[in-house]
């Protein structure tokens, strides 16, 4: 994953780099260094970031689904 792909994925998930740094417990400055070249080497986005973001997205969808099911159950219980 490139830094541009990382930024695009964060936008898709509607989270900022600051939010990601807090969720992943990574210093903000470390994340900002990803994609930059130092000593003729580009600092890559770590490989764990892709599955982490995929699981984050699934978790959000699951939380949404559970919330909607809970609302439906409460509505049915009132009837």
């Amino acid at each position: 994953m490139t830094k541009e792909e990382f930024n695009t994925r964060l936008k898709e998930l509607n989270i900022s780099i600051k939010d990601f740094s807090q969720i992943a417990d990574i210093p903000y400055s470390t994340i900002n260094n990803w994609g930059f070249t130092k000593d003729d080497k580009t600092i890559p986005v770590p490989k764990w970031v892709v599955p982490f973001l995929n699981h984050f997205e699934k978790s959000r969808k699951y939380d949404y689904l559970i919330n909607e099911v809970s609302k439906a159950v409460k509505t049915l219980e009132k009837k």
Side-chain angles (χ1 to χ4, degrees):
M1 170 178 267
T2 65
K3 177 69 179 241
E4 293 78 23
E5 291 169 334
F6 172 72
N7 288 332
T8 299
R9 187 74 170 115
L10 290 183
K11 285 180 185 176
E12 290 171 356
L13 294 171
N14 197 29
I15 58 175
S16 66
I17 293 175
K18 182 179 178 184
D19 293 336
F20 179 81
S21 75
Q22 291 172 345
I23 293 165
D25 197 26
I26 304 271
Y28 183 85
S29 58
T30 299
I31 297 168
N32 277 331
N33 287 333
W34 296 345
F36 284 99
T37 303
K38 182 179 178 183
D39 300 327
D40 295 328
K41 288 187 176 183
T42 301
I43 300 169
V45 175
K47 291 182 180 183
W48 61 264
V49 172
V50 172
F52 183 91
L53 291 174
N54 290 340
H55 287 289
F56 177 82
E57 180 180 29
K58 286 179 184 180
S59 175
R60 268 195 175 169
K61 288 178 181 179
Y62 177 77
D63 289 345
Y64 173 78
L65 180 61
I66 292 297
N67 187 38
E68 292 300 309
V69 169
S70 294
K71 285 181 192 176
V73 168
K74 287 178 184 177
T75 300
L76 291 172
E77 287 175 346
K78 290 180 182 178
K79 291 183 180 184

